Each structure stands twice: as C-alpha cells, then as structure tokens.
Amino acid sequence: MRSIKLIHASSTSTLALMTLLGLMLLPGCSSSPSETKTNKQTATNSSLNGMDKDIVGLVNLNTKNANNSTSMSAGSTDTRNVYLEQASQRLADIPASVLSQYQQAIEQMKNQQWQTANTLFDKIITAQPQLSGAYVNKAIIAINQQQLIQADALLDQAIAVNNSNPYAHQIKANIARLQGQYAQAEQGYLTALSLWPQYPQAQLNLAILLELYRGKLLQARQYYMAYLANQPNDEQAKRWLAGVDIKIQRAELTPDDTNGAE
C-alpha cells in the first residue's frame, strides 16, 4: 500500500476544505515484483487492491500533456502538479453545496459505502459535469464492485473532460496492465508522470511494469530510484531495486543498452 494526497477546493470559502483534505494521506496501490508467472499475476491483480483509497478531487484542466520521454520523466526533479496548480482557478465558481456533497461522497468511500457515494457523485456530475474527479471516484467504486469495463469507461470520461488529471491516467494504466495491455499501461503511467513528475504511485507502478512485463530493466531501475527519492523509507521497494540491480548485472547491461532488455 502507498499514499496519495486528496485534492480539493479553493477560494476563501473553500480553502479550509482544500487544506483539510489535502492533508489526508490515504493508502494507494502498487504491486509486488516477482519472477514467477503465478506471482506476476498476483502482482498485476494487486494493482487494484486498495484502489478505493486512491481517492481524487476536484478540478477541470485542458492543458496539453508534456513530453512523455521515459528518461525525462524518470530523472525529473520537477515538483509541479498540473492538477493542483490550477485547482483554485477551476474551483472558484463551484457552489459550496457541491463541494459539501463531494466531501460527503469521499467520506462514504472511505467507509466503503459505495452505493451512497456513487449516488452522491451522480448528483455532482449532474450539477458540475466538468469535474473529472467525480468520474474517477465513480471508477474506483466500479472497480470495488468488480466492474472493470464500466470503470474503464468512466476513466475515459474523466480524461475527456480533464486530460490533465494524472490520477485518471494512473488508474486506467493499472486496469490496462491487469488486462495484459502492457504498452498501453506504460503510456498511461508516462502520461500521469508528465502531469505530475513526482507522482509516487505512477513511478512505482511504471517501474514494476518495465521490470516484469516490458523487459526494460535499466528504465525500471530509474523509476525505482525516482520513487525511493520520494519515499526513502519504503524497505520493500529498496529490495525490489536490489533485485533489479542483480538482474542488470546478470544480463551485463550498461547504460548504453537503452532498451533495458534481458
């Protein structure tokens, strides 16, 4: 399990709400690298375990994605989060009643009251259909109800109204990985990182994907290191990095082997 911040409101009347929810750290999700086929499947499935904790908030952005270069994203020291940068501007005109409903819906999700939360998000979408976080949270609810096709469609809606929501791209990439669509999953993680270069869950999940399913060991190592720069106390991730180092040594790979394949 990992952590991710909730993103919420702005303006004088909503700054308190934004601060409160922004300080709440909830476990996210990632998966455990393994070399056996059985454990690889377990690692893939565990991408969705705890997804109900990867709750996201309110904002609608229409900015273009940045360069999705693997090396650029892995080595980036850029601390920006496009989603957060424009939150205040995008939420300035959202009625307080909608913000209150949104907070209630999040509380219901935390208590695993999926149907109640889903109904609240439906009301929010009816009132403010441009709020991509509502679609993402409905997708999380659908995942918890084992409705992956519906979840994927909801994430498409979230991205359609807000292509700069990194959480939507991250969760959609997890679903793609679960379905064996590894190239699509890789692109999804890279897109999330182009929007938030220091996104821990995207860094770790991309490292796992590159190591286990894409055969790109050198790039995987870069993302494990980037993740650990943000999460230096994650002992398990340190062990995974050590395992990648052993694989790289055995394969006699060098930095010039840019594909990182064994």
Side-chain angles (χ1 to χ4, degrees), residues 104-105 108 113-121 141:
Q104 292 172 34
Q108 293 299 317
Q113 298 297 315
W114 307 125
Q115 189 56 51
T116 302
N118 203 47
T119 298
L120 285 169
F121 283 123
I141 293 169

Side-chain angles (χ1 to χ4, degrees), residues 87-245:
S88 296
Q89 175 185 348
R90 296 295 181 179
L91 296 177
D93 297 325
I94 302 298
S97 60
V98 173
L99 296 174
S100 177
Q101 272 189 326
Y102 203 100
Q103 183 178 12
Q104 292 172 34
I106 287 178
E107 291 300 319
Q108 293 299 317
M109 289 185 73
K110 288 166 55 183
N111 293 325
Q112 298 187 12
Q113 298 297 315
W114 307 125
Q115 189 56 51
T116 302
N118 203 47
T119 298
L120 285 169
F121 283 123
D122 283 337
K123 293 178 179 178
I124 291 164
I125 288 173
T126 298
Q128 300 290 333
Q130 80 280 14
L131 297 179
S132 68
Y135 298 98
V136 175
N137 288 333
K138 279 178 63 67
I140 293 171
I141 293 169
I143 288 168
N144 278 275
Q145 297 175 335
Q146 307 300 314
Q147 299 171 343
L148 295 188
I149 295 177
Q150 180 179 345
D152 203 48
L154 285 162
L155 292 168
D156 284 338
Q157 287 181 278
I159 292 169
V161 300
N162 175 4
N163 196 40
S164 294
N165 187 326
Y167 311 100
H169 292 288
Q170 143 79 3
I171 298 173
K172 187 173 176 65
N174 284 338
I175 294 175
R177 190 176 73 181
L178 181 68
Q179 296 172 334
Q181 300 171 346
Y182 303 132
Q184 180 178 329
E186 181 177 347
Q187 185 58 45
Y189 293 133
L190 287 170
T191 300
L193 287 168
S194 76
L195 300 167
W196 181 11
Q198 302 300 317
Y199 188 174
Q201 284 70 44
Q203 289 172 329
L204 183 58
N205 281 325
L206 180 54
I208 292 167
L209 177 79
L210 293 172
E211 178 191 356
L212 296 183
Y213 303 104
R214 302 292 281 162
K216 300 179 179 181
L217 300 179
L218 295 175
Q219 288 94 326
R221 184 179 189 277
Q222 291 175 357
Y223 282 102
Y224 279 127
M225 292 180 66
Y227 169 77
L228 285 167
N230 291 321
Q231 307 291 327
N233 297 322
D234 190 331
E235 297 301 324
Q236 189 171 45
K238 291 178 183 178
R239 291 192 293 271
W240 297 343
L241 174 60
V244 170
D245 284 336

